[in-house]
Amino acid sequence: MTDPDKTPWLIPSDGFALYDALALLRVSFQFMDGRIDPPSSVHRLTVEGMQAHCYSGGEIWAIGRPLFACMFLTPKSDSLYLGKLAVKEGMRGQGICRTLVDHAAIRAAELGLPALELETRVELAENHRAFSRLGFTIVSTGSHDGYGRPTDFLLRKSINLSADS
């Protein structure tokens, strides 16, 4: 059996793969149910919402056909926001998350953005450790509307924008 192709590809805004990405996200984020408060926004995510993300300048990238990993990218004024990153259970531990983060860094550099940013919930210590290993640093805390305590961490990773990197 050969290794699957791990090259990221852009899901078109009208692509059927949006349905596959949504299904992967729902399954991959289930472990958070009952662990995080408020619940994950993935419960409110729809294909139409994913299309709107694409139409407004965001991108959804995937790995695999059929897909086994995905992430959302959203350009901000000073960073590229990486959200909704998921890797199928049986594919974890093979460097796929690193491949997606590395690809996000390439996209940030192409867009002239000096950093990647992402948010992870306070309760998900395993995510903090994983993203720390990938070069992210916690830079602030945030709270969802109606919460008087921190509910998430903002993590940031600087990107080398020089042409010789």
Side-chain angles (χ1 to χ4, degrees):
M1 184 167 156
T2 62
D3 281 338
D5 183 1
K6 295 178 183 159
T7 306
W9 56 276
L10 183 64
I11 298 177
S13 60
D14 62 350
F16 188 78
L18 291 174
Y19 292 91
D20 296 333
L22 180 58
L24 173 63
L25 287 164
R26 287 186 174 153
V27 168
S28 296
F29 280 45
Q30 278 180 336
F31 82 98
M32 296 180 202
D33 292 347
R35 285 188 64 193
I36 62 170
D37 182 34
S40 173
S41 62
V42 79
H43 294 294
R44 298 184 307 277
L45 189 61
T46 63
V47 168
E48 294 77 18
M50 295 166 75
Q51 290 172 323
H53 171 79
C54 297
Y55 295 145
S56 66
E59 300 174 341
I60 303 174
W61 289 85
I63 296 180
R65 294 183 192 259
L67 70 82
F68 53 80
C70 66
M71 69 176 168
F72 286 40
L73 297 178
T74 308
K76 295 170 52 177
S77 62
D78 68 342
S79 65
L80 185 61
Y81 184 82
L82 193 166
K84 304 274 188 291
L85 189 152
V87 177
K88 186 176 179 178
E89 175 115 22
M91 300 299 292
R92 294 178 190 157
Q94 299 181 39
I96 295 165
C97 181
R98 180 176 297 280
T99 297
L100 287 171
V101 170
D102 289 348
H103 185 73
I106 291 167
R107 290 295 297 134
E110 290 171 351
L111 296 168
L113 297 170
L116 292 177
E117 286 188 343
L118 61 85
E119 291 174 315
T120 184
R121 294 303 186 88
V122 169
E123 300 93 341
L124 302 178
E126 65 274 25
N127 285 4
H128 312 160
R129 288 188 299 273
F131 287 114
S132 175
R133 286 191 300 270
L134 294 173
F136 286 86
T137 303
I138 296 173
V139 294
S140 66
T141 59
S143 296
H144 286 77
D145 289 341
Y147 286 77
R149 62 168 175 78
T151 56
D152 58 71
F153 291 123
L154 177 67
L155 287 76
R156 189 170 174 98
K157 174 181 178 166
S158 294
I159 301 303
N160 184 349
L161 295 177
S162 68
D164 60 350
S165 59

